[in-house]
């Protein structure tokens, strides 16, 4: 059973500054089939509660869980950060995914950003007012080539050459690189190569907030991609590094590995699962330090990826209790 830390202090529905806040009773935030769910405002008291939630993929949600998500919490937008392969492997039979409208994001070179793909839109059924959007932060092929691009030239050439004659051997070489990098390496890859996908998720959260639509975002474990998106959002709103780390380490108790479906491939052997199933504060601390070293700050990192000062301030206005004062937010 899962219950968010802030559930006990919420008991009604409150409307504030253009967004409808759903503040259910404690029982509404208790789930038997959904793991790692919490209100992001639990991590930062200046954030409006009932607006943005994080979780692991609700693939084992019960019918009762589903009613709590959509009727009690009032979730209207699900941001699915999983890869297409993960969704295929895990299936979409959960009641939480039934009857929803759907749209997948894609990178549009014409506008140089990640945007909704109108051709992917599907109108839902029983919960058609709820939208699931897929923003695949880490597709397997992108992750694979990110690993190759970071290898020493001779190692990369060896891997490519080996792949032509011995694919199992080439996979072993790639997995050695994955293991060597561990979680810190994974987070550097995600932050370096998926910035525009994180921006697309933040932009969707902003649009949802402006429309009064509570958001739930998730990946497979609700730990890595979800953890990085949560860290970016919390930092942008003014949360301290310690608050971000405390939110992140909550996921340590669930011990799940999620590498865009790579970890479920029976052809992939040698993966050091123990390196990827935990959520140690050192891993998130290293990710935040990486952003600081490469971009200067999270606002600067996001601005370079297309989410500029105006959009950042708009997001603060929508999600901060004080109406969006950015005096406590690091200058970008």
């Amino acid at each position: 059973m899962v219950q968010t830390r802030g559930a006990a202090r919420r008991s009604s529905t409150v409307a504030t500054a253009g967004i409808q806040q759903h503040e259910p009773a404690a029982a509404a935030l208790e789930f038997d089939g959904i793991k790692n769910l919490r209100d992001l405002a639990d991590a930062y008291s200046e954030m409006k509660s009932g607006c943005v939630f994080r979780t692991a993929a609700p693939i084992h949600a019960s019918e009762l869980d589903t009613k709590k998500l959509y009727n009690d919490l009032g979730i209207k937008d699900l941001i699915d950060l999983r890869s297409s392969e993960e969704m295929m492997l895990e299936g979409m039979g959960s009641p939480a995914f039934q009857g929803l409208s759907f749209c997948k994001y894609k990178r549009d070179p014409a506008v140089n950003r990640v945007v909704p793909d109108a051709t992917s839109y599907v109108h839902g059924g029983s919960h058609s007012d709820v939208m699931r959007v897929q923003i695949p932060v880490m597709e397997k092929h992108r992750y694979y080539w990110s690993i190759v691009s970071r290898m020493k030239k001779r190692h990369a050439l060896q891997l490519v050459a080996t792949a032509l004659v011995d694919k199992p051997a080439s996979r072993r070489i790639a997995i050695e690189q994955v293991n060597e990098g561990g979680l810190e390496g994974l987070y550097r890859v995600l932050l370096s190569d998926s910035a525009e996908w994180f921006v697309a998720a933040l932009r969707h959260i902003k649009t949802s907030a402006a429309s009064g639509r509570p958001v739930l975002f998730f990946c497979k474990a609700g730990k890595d991609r979800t953890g990085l998106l949560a860290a970016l959002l919390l930092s942008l709103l003014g949360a301290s590094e310690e608050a971000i780390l405390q939110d992140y380490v909550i996921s340590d108790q669930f011990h799940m590995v999620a590498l865009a479906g790579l970890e479920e491939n029976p052809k992939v052997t040698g993966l050091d699962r123990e390196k990827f199933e935990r959520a140690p504060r050192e891993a998130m601390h290293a990710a935040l330090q990486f952003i600081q070293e490469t971009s200067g700050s999270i606002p600067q990192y996001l601005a370079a990826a297309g989410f500029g000062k105006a959009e950042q301030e708009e997001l603060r206005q929508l999600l901060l209790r004080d109406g969006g004062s950015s005096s406590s937010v690091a200058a970008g």
Side-chain angles (χ1 to χ4, degrees):
M1 180 171 288
V2 177
Q3 180 176 348
T4 70
R5 291 175 293 163
R9 66 175 182 266
R10 296 193 287 271
S11 60
S12 62
T13 301
V14 180
T16 59
I19 184 166
Q20 190 80 5
Q21 288 182 259
H22 294 263
E23 302 198 2
L29 289 181
E30 297 176 353
F31 298 91
D32 292 318
I34 300 178
K35 297 181 179 180
N36 209 8
L37 186 145
R38 52 193 178 274
D39 189 331
L40 205 60
D42 290 346
Y44 185 47
S45 61
E46 297 302 311
M47 184 179 180
K48 296 174 184 175
S49 60
C51 300
V52 183
F53 298 82
R54 57 174 293 180
T55 188
I59 57 176
H60 300 298
S62 65
E63 291 286 354
L64 181 58
D65 289 339
T66 301
K67 290 179 180 178
K68 289 180 177 180
L69 283 179
Y70 303 135
N71 297 342
D72 297 333
L73 290 184
I75 299 298
K76 291 298 182 184
D77 285 304
L78 285 78
I79 298 178
D80 193 335
L81 304 174
R82 294 177 300 164
S83 69
S84 299
E85 182 165 346
E86 283 173 299
M87 288 191 290
M88 180 179 68
L89 289 169
E90 295 164 7
M92 298 298 295
S94 167
F97 295 139
Q98 302 307 303
L100 310 186
S101 296
F102 172 78
C103 184
K104 182 176 181 178
Y105 274 59
K106 67 174 184 179
R107 191 180 190 285
D108 187 344
V111 295
N112 197 32
R113 65 166 55 176
V114 175
V115 298
D117 180 3
T119 64
S120 70
Y121 177 78
V122 176
H123 183 71
S126 57
H127 292 292
S128 60
D129 61 327
V130 180
M131 172 70 74
R132 182 175 70 87
V133 296
Q134 184 194 1
I135 305 179
V137 167
M138 184 174 65
E139 291 282 15
K140 188 178 72 173
H141 67 278
R142 294 206 313 263
Y143 182 38
Y144 179 84
W145 286 111
S146 293
I147 295 169
V148 173
S149 69
R150 284 167 171 76
M151 295 173 65
K152 292 181 179 179
K153 187 175 181 180
R154 64 184 181 87
H155 291 158
L157 291 174
Q158 178 190 6
L159 185 148
V160 173
T162 302
L164 297 175
V165 295
D166 190 345
K167 287 186 177 180
S170 72
R171 283 193 288 265
R172 287 194 296 272
I173 295 172
I175 289 300
E176 287 175 4
Q177 295 296 312
V178 172
N179 287 336
E180 183 178 339
L183 273 181
E184 293 183 11
L186 170 63
Y187 292 175
R188 287 194 296 271
V189 166
L190 285 167
L191 291 169
S192 297
D193 296 353
S194 299
E196 59 186 350
W197 296 86
F198 284 122
V199 162
L202 289 172
R203 188 169 283 128
H204 194 92
I205 290 171
K206 178 174 68 68
T207 300
S208 298
S211 302
R213 294 172 61 87
V215 176
L216 176 70
F217 65 89
F218 58 89
C219 52
K220 177 181 178 179
K223 173 176 73 76
D224 303 317
R225 289 158 288 184
T226 295
L228 289 173
L229 178 57
L232 294 172
L233 178 54
L234 286 169
S235 180
L236 197 57
L237 296 180
S240 67
E241 178 174 323
E242 182 58 29
I244 292 168
L245 294 177
Q246 288 184 11
D247 177 63
Y248 171 74
V249 299
I250 293 172
S251 299
D252 192 55
Q253 63 186 294
F254 297 101
H255 293 206
M256 294 176 66
V257 179
L259 295 172
L262 186 70
E263 75 285 353
E264 302 295 344
N265 189 334
K267 295 180 180 180
V268 173
T269 60
L271 180 68
D272 188 347
R273 301 181 72 89
E274 289 186 5
K275 284 190 173 183
F276 298 96
E277 68 180 11
R278 305 299 297 269
R281 60 188 289 126
E282 294 79 13
M284 182 55 69
H285 173 72
L288 298 176
Q289 286 295 110
F290 176 75
I291 294 175
Q292 184 175 348
E293 292 167 2
T294 57
S295 301
S297 69
I298 284 178
Q300 289 174 311
Y301 166 81
L302 293 173
F307 197 68
K309 290 184 178 180
E311 286 190 289
Q312 292 177 23
E313 185 58 31
E314 184 181 355
L315 188 57
R316 296 184 193 112
Q317 291 282 345
L318 289 164
L319 292 180
L320 287 177
R321 290 186 181 277
D322 63 3
S325 172
S326 57
S327 59
S328 62
V329 180

